[in-house]
Amino acid sequence: MHIPLDPSAPEPIYEQIRARLAEAILRGDLPAGEALPSIRVLARDLRVSVITTTRAYNELVADGLVDAVRGKGVFVRAQQPDQVRSRALGRVDMSLAEAVRTARTAGIGADELHDRLTHALEEEDR
């Protein structure tokens, strides 16, 4: 499995792995019941430590996106659309709160912040 990682990114590698797998699950690229690669195989493929992949998988279990079955592996959990939406809104709210704090610290007003959000949405649509 190929997961793009950026060692110079501010978020830790385990978080990058968790985020990419979560995105794939929520988009439906990894359907319910699908087995994820074993921790060791994913660590080898990504050239990271087993501890890193273990932490990423543990975070996915805590997020309710996968189930770890002892002796069998880690499997994608069926997602309820309302729960997916609720979790997504929570992540959006946290990101927006961080953006507001950063903007206020830098003296960026609400209008400019709104313009930047609009621009980001337009870029994503392209």
Side-chain angles (χ1 to χ4, degrees):
M1 174 176 281
H2 177 71
I3 299 173
L5 300 175
D6 181 1
S8 64
E11 63 265 351
I13 296 295
Y14 80 87
E15 177 57 27
Q16 293 179 50
I17 296 168
R18 187 212 61 78
R20 300 310 177 285
L21 288 172
E23 289 166 9
I25 291 167
L26 295 173
R27 275 195 317 265
D29 295 344
L30 293 171
E34 173 122 355
L36 296 183
S38 75
I39 289 171
R40 291 183 191 284
V41 166
L42 187 61
R44 185 194 68 221
D45 289 351
L46 298 178
R47 296 188 175 136
V48 298
S49 77
V50 170
I51 294 169
T52 299
T53 54
T54 299
R55 183 148 184 206
Y57 277 19
N58 287 342
E59 294 282 328
L60 289 169
V61 169
D63 290 343
L65 296 173
V66 300
D67 291 313
V69 180
R70 184 177 290 271
K72 296 202 184 247
V74 178
F75 299 87
V76 176
R77 179 184 284 183
Q79 302 299 308
Q80 299 299 322
D82 56 332
Q83 291 175 341
V84 170
R85 179 177 167 74
S86 177
R87 282 195 300 266
L89 286 172
R91 288 191 306 274
V92 167
D93 289 344
M94 287 189 327
S95 296
L96 289 173
E98 177 64 25
V100 167
R101 281 191 298 275
T102 301
R104 289 217 171 137
T105 300
I108 298 168
D111 289 340
E112 186 175 354
L113 187 59
H114 184 269
D115 290 345
R116 290 183 169 276
L117 175 60
T118 300
H119 177 74
L121 289 167
E122 290 168 351
E123 286 295 313
E124 185 67 24
D125 289 341
R126 291 184 190 164

